[in-house]
Amino acid sequence: MAEMKLDGGDKRQRGMLVPILIALGILAAAGGWFAKVYLHPEVTATAGPLQTFEYTAQYARGGGILVGENQTDVVTYVIADIALKDNTEVPLFLKSIDGTLTMEDGTIMTASALEKTDLPRLAAMFPAMQPKLDAVAPAPLLRESTIAPGATGHGYVIFAYNVPQDVWNKRKASDVSISFYHQETVKVKLPK
């Protein structure tokens, strides 16, 4: 039988242990940084005071060939004060802002926040709404906004619900969901 000789192979294997441990340390540090920045929900949201504005439109059937009954539409505009605090090390990019209304009977109604292009028309149509906006926040919180790391984004959002003010006042709950491009969605309950 041939005699087995060790020619330093065992020593070479022990010499690879140090580079492997260094590589594992670097991967662990990179994974920890990624988890801290991207995986942990470090965005906090708070809701301040609310204002509402009810609008009633009545459509009367005129004489002529139009068929149908008289119609009344009621819309309650909900103006909410929202503050977002970015506790991450990367900027926040707002993707969408949506509201959910849970009515007294459990029915759920959703609405998207009015967009930047809607706000001037709304102000022109309802000048009486401006004092309510001023009472909530000085400026709107808009989609496609950016919030710097460590900063707070603050402003009002407006939702239009096709319900009377009385239904809004008797609601079970309401909340706002804010979606981002690179972070998890944040939900905040609106005060009653």
Side-chain angles (χ1 to χ4, degrees), residues 18-144:
V18 172
I20 290 173
L21 289 175
I22 290 173
L24 287 175
I26 290 171
L27 285 174
W33 176 84
F34 180 82
K36 180 181 182 226
V37 172
Y38 290 103
L39 299 181
H40 293 295
E42 294 186 13
V43 179
T44 56
T46 56
L50 296 176
Q51 291 284 329
T52 56
F53 182 81
E54 183 181 74
Y55 174 71
T56 303
Q58 295 181 340
Y59 306 101
R61 188 182 96 147
I65 61 170
L66 293 178
V67 179
E69 298 180 14
N70 293 344
Q71 203 174 10
T72 301
D73 287 338
V74 180
V75 177
T76 299
Y77 292 94
V78 177
I79 307 159
D81 176 26
I82 303 293
L84 295 170
K85 172 76 172 151
D86 182 3
N87 299 315
T88 67
E89 296 175 4
V90 295
L92 294 177
F93 302 99
L94 276 71
K95 183 177 181 181
S96 65
I97 305 170
D98 300 301
T100 303
L101 164 65
T102 305
M103 293 183 241
E104 191 176 31
D105 64 358
T107 305
I108 296 174
M109 182 179 284
T110 59
S112 291
L114 297 181
E115 296 189 31
K116 184 178 184 176
T117 56
D118 297 329
L119 297 178
R121 285 181 273 201
L122 195 66
M125 288 171 43
F126 309 119
M129 187 187 285
Q130 191 60 46
K132 293 182 181 266
L133 294 174
D134 294 338
V136 172
L141 182 65
L142 300 169
R143 291 181 191 95
E144 305 303 324

Side-chain angles (χ1 to χ4, degrees), residues 45-48 81-84 174-178 186-190:
T46 56
D81 176 26
I82 303 293
L84 295 170
S174 59
D175 58 49
V176 175
S177 298
I178 300 130
V186 172
K187 278 192 175 188
V188 60
K189 289 194 177 297
L190 294 179

